[in-house]
Amino acid sequence: MLLPAKAEVARQLRRYRVWERIMLATPTDRRVRATFEDSGYTLCVLMGKRCAREAADAAERYLRTTLAAYLLEETERPGRRARRRRGPPAADRRSPAGR
């Protein structure tokens, strides 16, 4: 798993929080909302999350822990299931050419 530099995560998290405050102060300004959503999307991409709030939480955890602790924490989080393979077991799969 590739993770961004902590300095970049900190910079994007600060940007997200600043635009969040501005958006809450002026919720009807479309340009402010668009910039806030853009900053949230950037944070989502950096942290590999689908929701800006989850990305902000993940960024805060990432910044306050070591890399190893963050990765361990991410793999142990509830709701993360191991992916199961679908289809027949590997032993039953045969190539038509290998009859």
Side-chain angles (χ1 to χ4, degrees), residues 4-20 35-47 52 55-56 59-60 63:
K6 285 194 174 195
E8 184 62 23
V9 173
R11 188 171 78 81
Q12 293 300 329
L13 182 61
R14 272 193 311 274
R15 180 175 179 252
Y16 174 78
R17 293 295 185 206
V18 166
W19 283 107
E20 180 180 41
T35 308
F36 168 66
E37 289 175 357
D38 181 53
S39 67
Y41 176 77
T42 302
L43 203 55
C44 286
V45 170
L46 278 175
M47 300 310 299
E60 288 171 350
L63 292 172

Side-chain angles (χ1 to χ4, degrees), residues 1-4 9 41-50 54-63 70 74:
M1 171 185 223
L2 292 175
L3 289 171
V9 173
Y41 176 77
T42 302
L43 203 55
C44 286
V45 170
L46 278 175
M47 300 310 299
K49 301 294 181 184
R50 292 184 176 213
E54 287 178 13
D57 290 343
E60 288 171 350
R61 278 194 317 275
Y62 178 57
L63 292 172
Y70 175 77
E74 281 295 300

Side-chain angles (χ1 to χ4, degrees), residues 55-88:
D57 290 343
E60 288 171 350
R61 278 194 317 275
Y62 178 57
L63 292 172
R64 74 171 172 256
T65 62
T66 64
L67 178 60
Y70 175 77
L71 291 173
L72 182 64
E73 206 174 280
E74 281 295 300
T75 56
E76 291 179 350
R77 293 189 66 78
R80 300 198 38 106
R81 298 181 190 158
R83 291 188 179 187
R84 296 177 64 183
R85 293 183 74 166
R86 296 187 180 237

